[in-house]
């Protein structure tokens, strides 16, 4: 694909010049080199985008499932054709190792679209309750605000659901990783959506994001990001009483029961904590093990972590790339300094602050023990390659420890007895719980309890988040 129109915004079915004069520089976090520059949009460009989406809403919201399935299928074909380019773009803008980008960053969106396509008919099913006919309709104009850690996947999860529900939308990607959004927009431009159904407005969260959340022409805000930003989105959206769907991160746990294969369970927990350099909202950054097996668990964790060496993310052998920015690196190192001051003990080498070269926002992976359950390391989302290992005494203690969090996004339970694992999983306060390392299901609902947010993404549950329910009372 030719060079992307990075100085433009996409409104009403075409690329056009922004009204905003400011720009945002995008860097490669592995090298510090500038790889692009995009507009820093604000109120005026947001209003233009919302107006375009509102103009397109009456026609798109009345299309049938067949037309929407055709659009999503065409988008899937385009993503498949440009899979390698998408993967390399994500690696360049936010540092995911290229092998991970190919498999997850560019691969998972295909499964997400499959889930929407398969569920689209059922998501619009009508229901009879006595003399009433219950129907589902598009909520209206959606503001889709996405994070930098899985920029393509999160975009497709929101855009796909909105289109499937019959909504029009304005898409604002993270200012740290907007390049894949521009490539995605070029692909969407090629599938023939009516003008205004999809619009792209880049910008910072405090400007473009805040404007979208407050705009009275937006009916729903779908946001994935930090808890602090989610609170701000919710407050801004409350002014017009618009709906929000918020996915705000977590402090998820791997709970290894006493009869589990410890080596397999601990290895799985370490991989979850370190994938994408720990920059995953559902990363299981707490490993809970039976107290009498703590030393054994630490030995396994050290062995697995040794295979994660920070390196060039463009190298197919690389498993650990940089953090997304200098600010993120400093935040993670600050958390680790506080952990040591709180009495936690690091059991891995090298020092997390050591970089493989003079450039790049790298942090070496680390495993910590002697972690107080009330400490920041055990309770706060760090978003770096860090794992806290905590012991527990029995199942009840393990469940209480897993649930001792303000978050509730994800968890995993390991046991030799699947029924026992499922019984424990039912007691965990988390929106998605894996049993014995079961694979991620891109058609199942994803979302959190407590301060991990509200609403669900993916599959028919994700589509229905973008719908209103109407009851038609029919004469007898």
């Amino acid at each position: 694909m030719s060079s992307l129109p990075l100085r433009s915004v996409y409104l009403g079915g075409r690329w056009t010049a922004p009204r905003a004069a400011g720009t945002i520089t995008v860097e490669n976090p592995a090298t510090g080199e500038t790889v692009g520059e995009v507009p820093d949009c604000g109120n005026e460009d947001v209003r233009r985008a919302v107006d375009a989406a509102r103009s397109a809403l009456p026609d798109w919201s009345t299309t049938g499932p067949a037309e929407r399935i055709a659009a999503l299928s065409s988008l899937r074909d385009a993503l498949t054709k440009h899979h390698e380019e998408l993967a390399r773009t994500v690696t360049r803008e936010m540092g995911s190792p290229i092998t991970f980008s190919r498999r997850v960053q560019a691969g998972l969106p295909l499964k997400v679209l499959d889930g929407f396509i398969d569920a689209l008919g059922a998501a619009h099913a009508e229901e009879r309750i006595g003399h009433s006919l219950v129907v589902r309709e598009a909520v209206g104009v959606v503001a889709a605000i996405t994070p930098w850690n899985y920029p393509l996947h999160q975009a497709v999860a929101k855009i796909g659901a909105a289109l499937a529900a019959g909504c029009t939308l304005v898409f604002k990607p993270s200012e740290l990783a907007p390049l894949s959004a521009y490539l995605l927009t070029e692909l969407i431009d090629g599938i023939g959506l009516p003008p205004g159904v999809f619009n792209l407005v880049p910008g910072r969260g405090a400007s473009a994001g805040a404007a979208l959340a407050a705009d009275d022409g937006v009916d729903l805000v779908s946001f994935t990001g930090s808890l602090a930003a989610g609170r701000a989105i919710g407050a801004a959206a409350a002014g017009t009483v618009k709906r929000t769907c918020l996915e705000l991160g977590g402090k998820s746990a791997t709970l290894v029961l006493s009869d589990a294969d410890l080596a397999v369970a601990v290895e799985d927990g370490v991989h979850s904590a370190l994938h994408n350099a720990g920059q995953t909202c559902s990363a299981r950054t707490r490993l809970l093990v039976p107290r009498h097996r703590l030393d054994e668990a630490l030995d396994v964790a050290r062995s697995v972590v040794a295979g994660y060496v920070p390196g060039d993310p463009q190298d197919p052998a690389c498993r650990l790339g940089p953090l997304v920015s200098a600010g993120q690196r400093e935040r993670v190192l600050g958390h680790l300094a506080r952990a040591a001051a709180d009495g936690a003990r690091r059991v891995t080498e090298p020092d997390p602050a050591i970089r493989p070269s003079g450039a790049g926002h790298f942090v070496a992976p680390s495993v910590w023990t002697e972690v107080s359950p009330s400490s920041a390391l055990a309770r706060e989302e760090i978003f770096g390659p860090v794992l806290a290992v905590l012991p527990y005494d029995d199942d009840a203690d393990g469940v209480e420890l897993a649930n001792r969090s303000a978050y509730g996004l994800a968890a995993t339970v390991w046991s030799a007895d699947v029924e026992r694992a499922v019984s424990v999983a039912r007691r965990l306060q988390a929106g998605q719980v894996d049993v014995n390392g079961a694979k991620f299901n891109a058609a199942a609902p994803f979302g959190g309890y407590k301060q991990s947010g509200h609403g669900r993404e993916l599959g028919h549950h994700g589509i229905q988040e973008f719908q209103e329910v109407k009851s038609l009372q029919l004469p007898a």
Side-chain angles (χ1 to χ4, degrees):
M1 184 171 285
S2 60
S3 60
L4 298 171
L6 296 181
R7 295 298 184 93
S8 300
V9 294
Y10 187 80
L11 306 177
R14 65 186 181 91
W15 293 105
T16 187
R19 299 283 171 79
T23 59
I24 299 170
T25 299
V26 185
E27 72 165 5
N28 181 333
T31 64
E33 297 173 341
T34 296
V35 293
E37 198 172 74
V38 301
D40 185 8
C41 294
N43 290 347
E44 192 171 4
D45 287 309
V46 164
R47 170 44 64 176
R48 295 166 68 203
V50 172
D51 286 347
R54 291 223 72 86
S55 295
L57 181 63
D59 288 341
W60 182 253
S61 64
T62 56
T63 56
E67 186 171 345
R68 299 176 197 173
I69 287 173
L72 296 181
S73 297
S74 295
L75 178 57
R76 191 194 190 284
D77 290 344
L79 294 181
T80 301
K81 180 178 179 181
H82 293 275
H83 177 272
E84 180 66 15
E85 186 178 3
L86 288 162
R88 290 189 176 277
T89 300
V90 173
T91 292
R92 187 167 66 252
E93 69 183 348
M94 60 77 56
S96 272
I98 186 61
T99 298
F100 186 82
S101 285
R102 288 168 177 153
R103 179 170 58 87
V104 178
Q105 298 281 15
L108 183 56
L110 303 178
K111 297 178 181 179
V112 168
L113 286 174
D114 286 339
F116 290 143
I117 291 167
D118 292 343
L120 202 148
H124 291 270
E126 298 180 348
E127 179 184 6
R128 288 299 297 259
I129 302 177
H131 67 282
S132 300
L133 176 66
V134 181
V135 300
R136 290 185 172 273
E137 300 177 343
V139 70
V141 173
V142 169
I145 304 175
T146 56
W148 48 261
N149 58 332
Y150 290 86
L152 183 64
H153 161 62
Q154 285 291 334
V156 170
K158 297 180 190 303
I159 294 166
L163 296 178
C167 298
T168 59
L169 71 146
V170 179
F171 171 36
K172 193 210 83 68
S174 167
E175 61 267 30
L176 293 176
L179 304 186
S180 57
Y182 272 79
L183 178 52
L184 174 62
T185 299
E186 283 277 71
L187 300 180
I188 291 174
D189 183 62
I191 68 173
L193 287 176
V197 170
F198 170 86
N199 306 273
L200 168 72
V201 177
R204 303 181 193 278
S207 50
L212 277 169
D215 196 293
D216 60 6
V218 171
D219 300 293
L220 181 147
V221 181
S222 179
F223 170 81
T224 300
S226 71
L227 176 58
R231 287 171 173 158
I233 291 286
T240 53
V241 201
K242 61 170 61 72
R243 284 168 53 183
T244 58
C245 180
L246 306 176
E247 196 265 277
L248 306 178
K251 191 68 179 178
S252 302
T254 297
L255 178 55
V256 185
L257 301 185
S258 58
D259 63 344
D261 185 325
L262 187 80
V264 172
V266 171
E267 180 177 359
D268 172 74
V270 172
H271 290 322
S272 173
L274 301 188
H275 283 325
N276 209 34
Q279 300 170 125
T280 301
C281 55
S282 58
R284 287 177 271 117
T285 54
R286 294 182 295 151
L287 176 63
L288 314 183
V289 300
R291 191 175 301 278
H292 69 282
R293 304 191 74 181
L294 175 60
D295 290 342
E296 182 184 354
L298 291 174
D299 287 341
V300 174
R302 272 191 292 260
S303 176
V304 178
V305 167
Y308 282 84
V309 179
D312 179 2
Q314 298 186 74
D315 181 352
C318 175
R319 300 178 75 184
L320 189 70
L323 299 186
V324 73
S325 67
Q328 183 65 17
R329 181 176 188 271
E330 292 307 309
R331 280 189 289 274
V332 171
L333 293 178
H335 272 291
L336 299 185
R338 180 179 176 184
D342 287 344
R345 179 169 61 90
R346 177 167 54 86
V347 298
T348 49
E349 296 292 342
D351 184 323
I354 293 177
R355 310 188 212 206
S357 63
H361 310 311
F362 293 92
V363 170
S366 58
V367 175
W368 297 74
T369 188
E370 299 174 20
V371 178
S372 168
S374 61
S375 68
L377 184 62
R379 298 177 70 87
E380 296 183 11
E381 186 176 45
I382 295 175
F383 239 54
V386 181
L387 177 66
V389 184
L390 296 94
Y392 69 89
D393 295 313
D394 55 27
D395 284 7
D397 186 37
V399 169
E400 190 277 332
L401 188 57
N403 288 336
R404 196 187 302 179
S405 172
Y407 297 104
L409 187 57
T412 289
V413 180
W414 284 88
S415 173
D417 182 342
V418 173
E419 290 187 4
R420 179 187 178 194
V422 170
S423 177
V424 169
R426 290 179 181 274
R427 296 158 63 189
L428 298 184
Q429 297 166 357
Q432 189 167 87
V433 184
D434 300 340
V435 173
N436 289 348
K439 293 182 179 179
F440 182 75
N441 182 354
F446 181 82
Y449 287 22
K450 300 187 281 188
Q451 292 188 40
S452 285
H454 54 77
R456 292 297 181 264
E457 294 186 315
L458 309 181
H460 82 268
H461 290 275
I463 296 172
Q464 289 179 346
E465 283 292 334
F466 294 83
Q467 293 177 323
E468 293 282 13
V469 177
K470 176 185 288 183
S471 295
L472 305 179
Q473 319 308 337
L474 305 180

